Amino acid sequence: MAKSKTQSDVGLIGLAVMGQNLVLNMADHGYTVSVYNRTTSKMESFIADCRANEPSAERVVGYAELKDFVKSIAKPRKIILLVQSTAVLPEDRDAVDKTIDSLLPLIDTGDIIIDGGNSNWNATIRREKELTAKGYEFIGSGVSGGELGARFGPSLMPGGSKKAWKSLKPIWEAIAAKVDAKTGKPFEDYAPGKPITEGVPCTTHIGPDGAGHYVKMVHNGIEYIDMQLICEAYNLMKRLLGMKPDEMSKVFDEWNKGLLDSYLIEITTDILQQRDPVNKRKFLVDVVLDTAGQKGTGKWTSGSALDLGIPANSIAEAVFARFLSAIKDERVAASKKLKGPKNVKPVRGKKALIEAIHDALYSSKICAYAQGFQLMAEAAKEHSWKLDFGEIAKIFRGGCIIRARFLQKITDAYTKDPKLANLMLDPYFKKELHRCQENWRKVVSLAVLHGVPTPAFSSALAYFDGYRSAVLPANLLQAQRDYFGAHTYERTDQPRGKFFHVDWPEPDRPQLKA
Ligand code: NBP
């Protein structure tokens, strides 16, 4: 349907940090955007700010009344929601539902609602079902990259019907981050009013209903472990080598030129050289309290791994590490009572140890991504989604927090073998794990000897060693289960699926088949 001259291309509700920046991104790309916010004063100050500072301000129009906002958008309407999302279980109803409920009497069938918040995939599945049953279209799209990503190019992970995606695609492809088609490197030379229009957009149709939000959630789970691994590398350099933040910054800067080239290493380099604005003799990182917050997506990822039976132990460790960090007072009290190892020899060979930490970080990162991709594969089976892992790794290459050179290798791996059972089995990653493992083991051993906690490095190594073990001690475990609970066991000398039970205290009694 042709739009009238006064009608906007798209509407957006929710003018907090993400909504405001996404609006400006769309406007910079030539789209006219109607905006609405529950609290009208926030909309008004945003519009005033736009008028004062933004080159594309004329394309942004604010509305105080929801009905006027809806009327102003060309049909079929595309209305993006960036409001707080808190629902976890399918039956939970939150601000996203309230906003949808307020829109329904005003919009028409065929209109498309796009939830760009960090909604739980369960809620997205429920909303898609409810809305499509009434004739509306619904897309649940992950938006990654924080404030800066939303402003100049996020990684966008939309889930919903192909029809709805077709309508949204031009906008999503325009505003997404772009990477160089050949190198996969993100283009980052942007400025207000000067959007990047060349390159490959970091968005693709992930799959139906909750697929986009699921992949975004796993992205966040991977982000948790990526960050935790960097923190462990930092802590080892600090505690085993006594290095100061600015010296470590130089190491991270070097690492950022090689295999570990990534946004998170880059910002770590910056953070570590930052002086405290209050006391310039100190480094700012040294005065930041060691307690980390979280908003829940790492916990959801770990919960989903538990539900689906996927050993994403390192992702879960990263969440637990944040929990442990949060009990600061308890840790301070315990540090006075529980003593670590005594008389450990100081570490020698600084250069070699830094190299070893690099290798431990790289190999642990491979394991973390292997866990995340295995989890997505299992969820895809559970929900009958067809996920293209090569494409997913591709759209992580720019815009999002976990963007890294390394992702090109994941894309290559899944392009070569779309049915790859585990990333660690890809020839490139296998070779890297074999190359790094001696250093990885050395780092974990030293950390244990010196009493430095490395839950992510250690759990990733345990994952690698567990996954490559043809035999695990679960034979004893299953025997224990059969002993106390008659849970039965399978035998190594019998076909799979045949179950046995023995009366363990009296094994001479005839063996029962379950
Ligand atoms: P917030 O998550 O802080 O949400 C604030 C917005 O929600 C405001 O516009 C607020 O309106 C609106 N809102 C609330 Br709260 N309750 C409402 C209701 N009942 N009806 C209508 N509107 C309501 O904003 P954000 O940090 O910009 O994040 C937006 C979404 O994007 C969230 O789902 C978030 O998880 C996700 N996300 C955030 C980031 C990030 O870096 N911040 C990154 C990626 C994704 P008001 O002004 O009237 O209170």
Side-chain angles (χ1 to χ4, degrees):
M1 192 179 293
K3 66 166 186 160
S4 86
K5 267 189 187 164
T6 52
Q7 283 192 304
S8 299
D9 298 303
V10 59
L12 186 140
I13 300 179
L15 292 171
V17 59
M18 292 301 280
Q20 290 192 10
N21 282 293
L22 212 71
V23 167
L24 296 173
N25 187 350
M26 289 190 283
D28 275 356
H29 280 274
Y31 292 101
T32 46
V33 193
S34 294
V35 299
Y36 173 85
N37 194 64
R38 179 183 60 172
T39 308
T40 306
S41 58
K42 286 190 195 162
M43 178 276 289
E44 288 167 346
S45 59
F46 170 60
I47 295 290
D49 240 37
C50 276
R51 301 277 177 266
N53 303 310
E54 291 293 335
S56 311
E58 86 229 14
R59 287 194 277 277
V60 183
V61 193
Y63 292 88
E65 295 295 331
L66 193 61
K67 63 176 179 2
D68 298 333
F69 162 82
V70 170
K71 264 195 218 156
S72 73
I73 307 163
K75 290 184 194 175
R77 300 180 183 91
K78 291 176 272 295
I79 300 177
I80 300 164
L81 313 185
L82 272 159
V83 299
Q84 197 176 58
S85 47
T86 51
V88 178
L89 299 171
E91 62 272 22
D92 295 345
R93 299 189 85 84
D94 61 10
V96 177
D97 294 293
K98 283 186 195 149
T99 310
I100 292 172
D101 290 346
S102 64
L103 277 171
L104 291 188
L106 304 171
I107 62 172
D108 296 298
T109 55
D111 287 351
I112 309 162
I113 297 176
I114 302 116
D115 174 18
N118 264 341
S119 288
N120 186 288
W121 83 100
N122 284 312
T124 304
I125 290 174
R126 189 248 308 150
R127 286 173 190 139
E128 207 260 356
K129 210 167 161 189
E130 285 172 0
L131 288 170
T132 51
K134 292 177 183 157
Y136 307 105
E137 296 286 347
F138 184 71
I139 284 191
S141 180
V143 177
S144 174
E147 186 177 348
L148 205 64
R151 178 67 183 90
F152 296 111
S155 172
L156 296 166
M157 297 153 232
S161 74
K162 282 189 183 154
K163 187 174 163 219
W165 168 237
K166 205 172 155 209
S167 294
L168 182 66
K169 192 177 173 193
I171 302 180
W172 248 218
E173 287 190 342
I175 65 167
K178 308 286 186 310
V179 296
D180 186 283
K182 279 195 190 137
T183 62
K185 265 202 150 294
F187 291 115
E188 286 175 349
D189 195 13
Y190 40 63
K194 291 189 180 150
I196 292 169
T197 49
E198 60 179 329
V200 182
C202 292
T203 186
T204 189
H205 182 224
I206 301 286
D209 51 57
H213 274 143
Y214 192 89
V215 167
K216 170 61 169 46
M217 175 196 75
V218 176
H219 160 284
N220 283 25
I222 292 174
E223 181 184 310
Y224 272 60
I225 173 75
D226 246 348
M227 293 168 80
Q228 176 64 24
L229 288 169
I230 292 172
C231 292
E232 289 179 17
Y234 151 83
N235 203 27
L236 286 165
M237 284 190 257
K238 180 176 160 181
R239 297 209 16 208
L240 297 184
L241 295 168
M243 289 169 70
K244 296 279 172 251
D246 53 346
E247 195 186 359
M248 287 189 256
S249 171
K250 289 186 187 124
V251 172
F252 280 105
D253 192 36
E254 270 314 302
W255 289 358
N256 203 35
K257 294 174 189 148
L259 293 172
L260 289 170
D261 173 0
S262 62
Y263 171 71
L264 283 168
I265 296 279
E266 185 188 319
I267 66 164
T268 304
T269 307
D270 280 355
I271 290 167
L272 291 173
Q273 61 191 348
Q274 190 82 35
R275 293 276 169 179
D276 175 11
V278 178
N279 179 350
K280 295 266 184 213
R281 277 172 308 169
K282 290 183 177 173
F283 288 99
L284 184 51
V285 72
D286 287 338
V287 293
V288 174
L289 192 74
D290 56 328
T291 59
Q294 53 189 308
K295 283 196 172 166
T297 40
K299 197 172 87 180
W300 293 352
T301 313
S302 308
S304 178
L306 288 171
D307 287 341
L308 295 172
I310 293 298
N313 55 330
S314 310
I315 295 177
E317 278 297 353
V319 180
F320 291 136
R322 289 200 194 185
F323 290 158
L324 196 62
S325 82
I327 51 167
K328 172 80 176 173
D329 293 346
E330 244 180 285
R331 287 189 289 113
V332 170
S335 71
K336 292 175 187 133
K337 293 182 180 149
L338 302 172
K339 298 293 165 208
K342 276 188 192 152
N343 308 323
V344 192
K345 281 188 204 154
V347 176
R348 294 190 189 284
K350 186 171 173 178
K351 191 164 172 273
L353 183 57
I354 291 173
E355 229 175 272
I357 296 172
H358 170 279
D359 288 353
L361 179 47
Y362 192 56
S363 39
S364 300
K365 188 175 164 96
I366 295 171
C367 290
Y369 280 68
Q371 292 170 23
F373 277 76
Q374 276 212 303
L375 181 56
M376 288 190 276
E378 195 58 30
K381 272 192 226 158
E382 172 89 1
H383 296 286
S384 306
W385 297 328
K386 281 198 184 101
L387 300 185
D388 181 334
F389 297 118
E391 282 296 304
I392 290 171
K394 251 188 200 169
I395 68 164
F396 287 169
R397 292 178 306 175
C400 64
I401 304 295
I402 64 170
R403 63 185 180 264
R405 183 198 286 196
F406 166 87
L407 284 155
Q408 184 61 43
K409 296 285 183 197
I410 301 184
T411 295
D412 295 346
Y414 282 109
T415 306
K416 266 186 273 157
D417 181 1
K419 293 208 167 90
L420 189 65
N422 187 302
L423 207 54
M424 295 189 291
L425 300 174
D426 166 73
Y428 167 78
F429 289 114
K430 187 174 75 175
K431 196 164 136 246
E432 285 302 276
L433 287 166
H434 288 161
R435 181 183 66 77
C436 290
Q437 71 168 306
E438 202 179 315
N439 270 338
W440 191 9
R441 292 180 195 286
K442 183 171 138 187
V443 168
V444 171
S445 312
L446 267 178
V448 172
L449 269 178
H450 286 259
V452 180
T454 51
F457 281 178
S458 309
S459 72
L461 184 54
Y463 175 75
F464 173 65
D465 282 336
Y467 192 78
R468 59 175 199 84
S469 294
V471 178
L472 287 171
N475 49 340
L476 174 58
L477 198 144
Q478 194 57 23
Q480 290 166 337
R481 294 186 72 239
D482 191 51
Y483 189 111
F484 64 68
H487 292 298
T488 75
Y489 56 90
E490 293 169 277
R491 292 182 59 97
T492 55
D493 53 5
Q494 294 288 324
R496 291 295 308 265
K498 271 180 104 175
F499 295 92
F500 300 87
H501 166 65
V502 72
D503 187 347
W504 291 85
E506 289 187 68
D508 291 337
R509 277 210 218 158
Q511 192 169 279
L512 301 177
K513 279 187 185 160

